[in-house]
Amino acid sequence: MATFISQIVSFFTSLALIISNFLGITSLPFIEKAENFKVTTYVRGEYIQSENSLYSEDFDIITDVILFECASFNSEGEVICNEPLLETALANLRKAIGSRDIKITLNLLGPWGKTDSDVWEEQMEAQSEEHNKAFASGVLENNIVAVLDKYDFDGVHFDYEYPISLNAWHHYNKFLVSLDKKLGDYTLGVAGNDWNIKFTTAAIEAIDTFEIMLYDMVDEEGKHATYEDTVKAVQKVGIYGMPIEKVNVGLAFYSRPTDMSAYWYGYNGCYEGIDENGWYHCDDTDKDFWFNTPEVIRDKTEYAINNGFGGVMIWHYSCDLPSSHEDSLLRAASSAIKDNY
């Protein structure tokens, strides 16, 4: 009942946010700020194989870490860890974090689909078929708990972005509820997109955090993940029943070119060449990229705070400068938090 009421409240809150945005109002006075605003970052295991790839001062700002690309599961429900990668990444993370109370969750990627099709929808359906087998295996839940126990993680996280069919969503929702019953004190997080949210009430109750992935999108000018597009997308989440206090608003610490071709440029490698309007031109590829500057990241973070969202989520950590640098994006997010709490 409590979850259902929360869903109703989130529905009307989202409706109010959509109307207020149309009227040019950036925050509503009746919305309470999250008590413990999260700054969650994905950390890619491959990028932190040396101790000097992490900056200890960053973890004065970061509250939660999702360790990515170190583990997966197959269609039989087995959890497969790249142990050398995972163990080195985890050791380096824990050394940088020190005694701070920062949660580390393990991201699990699922099996790829068995298809030669070039049609995206058919690729996603084939992927769902393999995921459905894993979810129905009856062993995946216990295998996940065993890995969390072994490495002393705080929880598990899923990036299952595109279950498209109702059948795929049925299997996913049923699994999330089943897994939650096994997790005990471990947390359960999921990531997704604003247009693809079909969680049941029971699954929403099982989920602790929802990372909304607001990037890999460009506007009519080719600008990547603008403030305006982020606000329009994130306002819809409550319409689908997800309580906004569980939602972390995605922040892009990288950019894609205006034509959305297969290039992903980190902010820290380009920041000196970004002009006053956020544009960066790459001579090698002759492509233009629009970046989220510190000002944009600050505005997005401030919007999330003042409109009741649970936090922000960064993709990904290794794209930024150390937070001690005046041009750091993480530093900009921290500035918004300090000024609004």
Side-chain angles (χ1 to χ4, degrees):
M1 177 62 74
T3 298
F4 178 72
I5 293 171
S6 180
Q7 287 181 282
I8 296 296
V9 171
S10 291
F11 175 86
F12 284 105
T13 300
S14 284
L15 195 59
L17 289 174
I18 291 168
I19 294 169
S20 66
N21 184 57
F22 178 77
L23 296 174
I25 301 169
T26 57
S27 62
L28 297 172
F30 61 83
I31 297 179
E32 294 184 5
K33 298 175 183 178
E35 185 175 349
N36 297 300
F37 191 80
K38 295 178 182 292
V39 179
T40 299
T41 185
Y42 279 84
V43 175
R44 297 184 61 179
E46 289 184 5
Y47 285 67
I48 59 164
Q49 291 298 292
S50 65
E51 291 181 10
N52 60 11
S53 57
L54 294 153
Y55 305 101
S56 181
E57 65 267 27
D58 295 350
F59 297 94
D60 289 330
I61 303 168
I62 294 165
T63 62
D64 294 77
V65 170
I66 301 170
L67 183 58
F68 189 79
E69 73 190 356
C70 293
S72 62
F73 61 93
N74 62 23
S75 57
E76 286 74 45
E78 300 170 319
V79 176
I80 303 132
C81 295
N82 182 333
E83 292 187 352
L85 187 76
L86 188 156
E87 291 172 3
T88 300
L90 203 51
N92 290 338
L93 257 178
R94 286 179 169 147
K95 183 173 182 179
I97 290 170
S99 61
R100 301 175 183 91
D101 183 18
I102 294 173
K103 307 300 182 188
I104 305 175
T105 57
L106 177 65
N107 181 273
L108 289 178
L109 294 173
W112 293 104
K114 297 177 181 178
T115 179
D116 295 325
S117 174
D118 293 328
V119 179
W120 181 80
E121 289 82 1
E122 293 177 0
Q123 293 173 352
M124 294 304 100
E125 187 58 28
Q127 187 182 65
S128 291
E129 288 177 7
E130 300 306 309
H131 278 68
N132 293 348
K133 293 175 188 175
F135 296 153
S137 67
V139 298
L140 180 55
E141 295 93 333
N142 287 335
N143 289 338
I144 289 170
V145 172
V147 172
L148 300 183
D149 286 344
K150 178 178 179 179
Y151 291 103
D152 196 25
F153 281 104
D154 293 289
V156 65
H157 193 275
F158 292 90
D159 278 47
Y160 183 26
E161 297 177 39
Y162 303 117
I164 297 174
S165 70
L166 291 178
N167 181 53
W169 274 103
H170 168 75
H171 281 86
Y172 189 29
N173 282 315
K174 187 177 179 180
F175 168 72
L176 291 173
V177 173
S178 175
L179 175 61
D180 181 56
K181 292 175 181 177
K182 298 272 188 176
L183 286 177
D185 292 333
Y186 290 124
T187 60
L188 173 58
V190 299
N193 297 274
D194 64 291
W195 57 268
N196 192 32
I197 303 173
K198 297 183 180 68
F199 296 108
T200 61
T201 298
I204 287 171
E205 186 172 5
I207 293 166
D208 294 299
T209 57
F210 178 66
E211 317 296 334
I212 183 165
M213 305 165 74
L214 299 172
Y215 29 74
D216 276 10
M217 56 184 185
V218 295
D219 66 9
E220 59 276 3
E221 296 180 63
K223 293 181 177 179
H224 177 250
T226 66
Y227 171 85
E228 292 77 13
D229 283 349
T230 293
V231 168
K232 288 177 185 176
V234 78
Q235 287 170 342
K236 297 184 291 183
V237 178
I239 298 291
Y240 299 107
M242 183 64 68
I244 61 173
E245 64 269 16
K246 290 190 176 188
V247 177
N248 293 332
V249 178
L251 304 178
F253 278 26
Y254 73 101
S255 184
R256 297 284 299 276
T258 54
D259 62 4
M260 285 293 284
S261 52
Y263 295 92
W264 292 263
Y265 281 20
Y267 169 79
N268 55 3
C270 303
Y271 78 99
E272 291 179 308
I274 298 172
D275 70 18
E276 65 275 11
N277 296 311
W279 288 103
Y280 173 85
H281 180 75
C282 176
D283 291 330
D284 291 340
T285 60
D286 196 29
K287 292 183 182 294
D288 292 307
F289 298 73
W290 190 82
F291 277 89
N292 278 221
T293 59
E295 292 74 22
V296 174
I297 294 298
R298 180 186 168 85
D299 288 346
K300 288 183 179 183
T301 305
E302 193 167 68
Y303 179 86
I305 293 168
N306 291 327
N307 288 283
F309 292 92
V312 290
M313 174 270 288
I314 295 160
W315 179 268
H316 62 88
Y317 174 83
S318 298
C319 292
D320 196 18
L321 300 159
S323 59
S324 55
H325 195 291
E326 63 180 1
D327 294 314
S328 162
L329 301 180
L330 183 59
R331 182 189 183 102
S334 175
S335 175
I337 296 167
K338 289 176 181 176
D339 288 349
N340 287 277
Y341 273 94

